Structures are given as C-alpha cells and as structure tokens.
Amino acid sequence: MSVLSGKNVLVGVTAGIAAYKTANLVRLFIKAGANVQVIMTPASKDFVTPLTLSTLSKNPVHSTFYNKDEENELWNNHVELGLWADLLVVAPATANTLSKMANGTCDNLLLATYLSAKSTVYFAPAMDLDMYKHPSTKNTLEKLQEFGNIMIPAESGELASGLVGEGRMAEPSTIISFIEQDILSGLPLNGKKVLITAGPTYEAIDPVRFIGNHSSGKMGFELAKCAANLGANVYLITGPTNEKVQHTLIKVIDVISAQDMYNATHTYFAEVDIAIAAAAVADYKPLKAENQKIKKKNDAMSLEMIKTKDILASMGASKEQQFLVGFALETTNEIENATGKLERKNLDLIVLNSLQDKGAGFKNTTNKVTIIDKSKDQIAFTLKSKTEVASDIFNEIIKRTNA
Ligand code: CTP
C-alpha cells in the first residue's frame, strides 16, 4: 500500500505535448489507491482526450465552469473541487499556466480551482529548453514556490522540438515517487523504525498438535498499519493468523513459537525506535515436543510444561533508545496489575484491556483500553474499533517521544 492510498488527488492538465504522459500518471495514482479527478484546460484537449482521462480516473473530467451538453446544465464548482482535493497536481504545467498561477489570473476552471484550493499543490513544468531557461520562467517558478507550491523539477532529455535540454516533464513514475516521498517526509514517524509483535504463538506437543490461544492478531496488525501510515518502517513479527497486510513500509516476519518470536524480536530490536508487544505469547510450552505423534494409551495423560521466555521483559532489560510498549489483559485489580507489569518489564507505556469490558480483547474488531505511562498517568478510552485504538496508542507514543 502506498501513502497515496485513499488520498483525493486532483490532476490538472494543461496544453503541452507531455499531456499524453498524464494518462499514465492518472493510471499510476489509481494503482496507488488514490481517488482521482481530472481538470483539463480547454487547449489541453488537443493533446489528450477527456475520454482517455475519464476512463482511467473512473470519474468525469472537468474543463469548463458548467457542462453545456447536459439537459440540466451543471455547474462545476471549483471551490468544491478544491476542498475535495488532498493534493492538486498540475502535470504538465506549461509556461502559460504557470505564469497565470503566479499572477492570479483566473480564466479557466483549473486556475479558479488552483486559487481556491487549500490542499498541497504540486506542479511539473513541461516546456522547451529556452522557455524553461528564460528569466521570466525562472521568476515564475520561484514565485510559485514562495507561495508554498511544490515543484517537481523538469528533466533533461530530448524535447518535442527535437532539441535536447532541460524542460521535459518528469516521468509519471518519478512524479509519483516524488509526491510519495514528500508526503512521507511530513509524517511524524518518518525515518523511525517500529517493531510490533502480534498474534498467538503455537507451542508444539508433537508433529501434529500444539498449544495455542484465541488471539486473532488484529490489534497488532492495526498497530502496524497505523505506524506505516504515520511514515514508520515497520517490522511486524506475527504468530499464525488470518490477518493480511500489504504495505511498502511493513516487513512481515512470520513465526510460530514463542522461541521463534523471541529470536526474530532480538534480530531487529537493537535498531528500532519504538517496540510494541501486542502478541499473546504462550507463557508455558511442553518441556519436550515429541518427534513422533503421541499415541493414545491411558485414560489420562499429563504434559510437563516449562516457562517460555518473556519477550517483552527481555526487551525491557536490554532497551536503550527504544520506547517500549506492552499490553496487559487483566481480569482483576486491573490498574494495579498493569502498573506492576509496566515497572517489572521496564516499559514506557502499558495498554490495559480488561476482560470485564464487553467488546474488548481477543477476537473482537473493537477494543476498550486504558493507557498508563511511567508517571502512572492513566487515560481511559471508550470502546472503539481496533483501527482507532491503534491511532490513540500512537498519539500517546508520539506525545512522549521526539517523533
Ligand atoms: N509477553 C511477551 N512474552 C511472553 C509473555 C508476554 O512478550 N512470554 C508480553 C505480551 O505481548 C504483553 C505483555 O507481555 O505485551 C503482557 O503479557 P501477559 O501475559 O498479560 O502478562 P504476564 O507478564 O505474562 O503476566 P500474567 O500472566 O501474570 O498476567
């Protein structure tokens, strides 16, 4: 998943030959999961057809203040379009449109939308090399950037005129990664590494049987998605689960037993900034996992069990720069028990869920938590979706770190 996923992107197309590349740009935005609407200047229709762009964007293309052909003429509200957009991307941006943008000219729908848009504005200049070099163009580009618009620089290469030089619109894939990087750089966890343990662990009894638990892994997966959406690189170490995630910033490490989870955790722990133990790790495992399937014999049988390693406590014991968060699932003396765990395991924050709360805990899509920090400050949250709980947890982490 890209950081562009779910973003509303308004693509402005102006009359340059590079407009043919905008078809691919729209396709790449859609592929990244963005919602796309296109505004064309009237002259840009000579270079790429509205039908191409409406088909690729899955939305009608806007180019005039009202749609003449409709039986009931429809007003294209530039203010609404501007408010809808999370980002406005003018690509290609010709010398003419850029100059108008710099001077507040407002003689078409794109320019009116630009003037009323509150979103981030990116522009990808496209023109012949001498136009690009001209002092008035340089002036325009500087002025537009002073206004807070973000330029995606033109590239060097062969131009439509046959001349070779600077002025070619950046390739659509370059525009996409430029914008993704720009969005990431503004996110609070950009450049941070986060480790999350999730799901249950399975402790083998013999080759076909194990001791496990009902953890779905949902909370851990939501935490991983939330961290990645905030810009972090995430190591998600998960026991067996049906949960799935696909995000460019999340590396999933599948494990089975508590020992596997312990090993994977300590492979990455030293390098991370934040670690959250959301896994329901088995506290005990069979002393010996039999190599062959155990045959039924007597009416009763017993298994000798030994303690597994406490992964969270081991992180607490070796932590340096890491901000460490644990979970506590309690049934009695909740606050007291959770605070005890926070101290014993050397945590910075503990997330308590009480099994007495309806909708909280294991298999649910909702959770009701109280977050306790090192100074024993408590924040009790209402019943929320696990997605919202993940976001509350990261808000509390961000408040307490330099992130
Ligand atoms: N945890 C862990 N490794 C273990 C056991 C627990 O990393 N072997 C982590 C869990 O991921 C959770 C926290 O420790 O973040 C609390 O686990 P819990 O089982 O509730 O607490 P315990 O310390 O095991 O105490 P008790 O069983 O007495 O409640």
Side-chain angles (χ1 to χ4, degrees), residues 28-334:
L28 294 179
F29 273 126
I30 293 284
K31 235 174 128 187
N35 310 308
V36 181
Q37 295 204 64
V38 177
I39 307 181
M40 302 180 78
T41 61
S44 72
K45 292 181 190 171
D46 293 334
F47 293 93
V48 61
T49 72
L51 182 62
T52 306
L53 297 177
S54 64
T55 309
L56 291 169
S57 67
K58 306 177 200 295
N59 271 312
V61 163
H62 314 284
S63 66
T64 51
F65 285 98
Y66 60 93
N67 293 337
K68 278 190 216 147
D69 306 334
E70 303 279 332
E71 236 171 66
N72 301 307
E73 288 187 357
L74 211 65
W75 170 248
N76 282 323
N77 189 331
H78 58 276
V79 177
E80 232 167 58
L81 281 168
L83 289 177
W84 173 84
D86 295 314
L87 16 143
L88 168 59
V89 184
V90 185
T94 56
N96 182 39
T97 291
L98 290 173
S99 165
K100 288 178 177 179
M101 283 164 68
N103 290 296
T105 308
C106 185
D107 61 2
N108 64 40
L109 183 69
L110 175 60
L111 291 163
T113 308
Y114 161 71
L115 280 178
S116 48
K118 292 201 170 70
S119 63
T120 315
V121 177
Y122 297 90
F123 64 92
M127 60 198 82
D128 212 55
L129 77 166
D130 292 317
M131 294 168 83
Y132 198 59
K133 270 200 286 208
H134 197 280
S136 69
T137 309
K138 292 250 174 279
N139 245 338
T140 297
L141 299 180
E142 273 165 27
K143 204 163 162 188
L144 283 172
Q145 290 177 92
E146 275 165 26
F147 292 163
N149 302 309
I150 300 166
M151 176 161 88
I152 305 170
E155 293 171 356
S156 268
E158 198 178 322
L159 300 158
S161 60
L163 298 172
V164 176
E166 215 179 357
R168 201 163 77 169
M169 185 177 88
E171 288 303 317
S173 57
T174 310
I175 295 180
I176 296 281
S177 30
F178 183 102
I179 295 173
E180 282 177 336
Q181 278 311 315
D182 188 62
I183 294 174
L184 274 175
S185 69
L187 294 175
L189 294 183
N190 176 47
K192 301 276 175 198
K193 288 186 180 171
V194 175
L195 182 154
I196 293 164
T197 67
T201 63
Y202 287 180
E203 309 304 325
I205 298 171
D206 66 18
V208 292
R209 303 181 180 96
F210 61 84
I211 294 171
N213 62 64
H214 290 301
S215 167
S216 63
K218 281 193 178 77
M219 194 64 245
F221 274 67
E222 287 302 335
L223 284 163
K225 282 185 249 174
C226 181
N229 289 337
L230 292 167
N233 275 294
V234 182
Y235 298 117
L236 174 60
I237 302 170
T238 178
T241 165
N242 292 324
E243 293 295 306
K244 300 249 176 309
V245 66
Q246 257 216 320
H247 196 297
T248 42
L249 293 176
I250 302 178
K251 179 181 165 74
V252 180
I253 299 122
D254 289 305
V255 295
I256 296 178
S257 67
Q259 184 63 44
D260 297 340
M261 190 174 273
Y262 176 92
N263 295 344
T265 297
H266 286 286
T267 303
Y268 299 106
F269 182 61
E271 63 180 87
V272 303
D273 304 284
I274 297 164
I276 308 179
V281 187
D283 286 329
Y284 292 89
K285 64 175 182 181
L287 176 64
K288 184 167 180 279
E290 297 297 336
N291 289 328
Q292 305 300 329
K293 189 179 165 209
I294 301 170
K295 288 284 181 196
K296 67 175 167 293
K297 288 184 213 139
N298 304 331
D299 285 351
M301 76 164 281
S302 56
L303 269 177
E304 197 174 346
M305 309 270 279
I306 52 160
K307 256 195 180 155
T308 56
K309 286 182 185 145
D310 190 318
I311 302 165
L312 179 58
S314 71
M315 287 194 271
S318 63
K319 90 173 177 163
E320 289 174 8
Q321 79 285 356
Q322 300 90 342
F323 189 91
L324 189 57
V325 182
F327 273 74
L329 183 66
E330 305 291 343
T331 49
T332 51
N333 297 331
E334 289 99 336

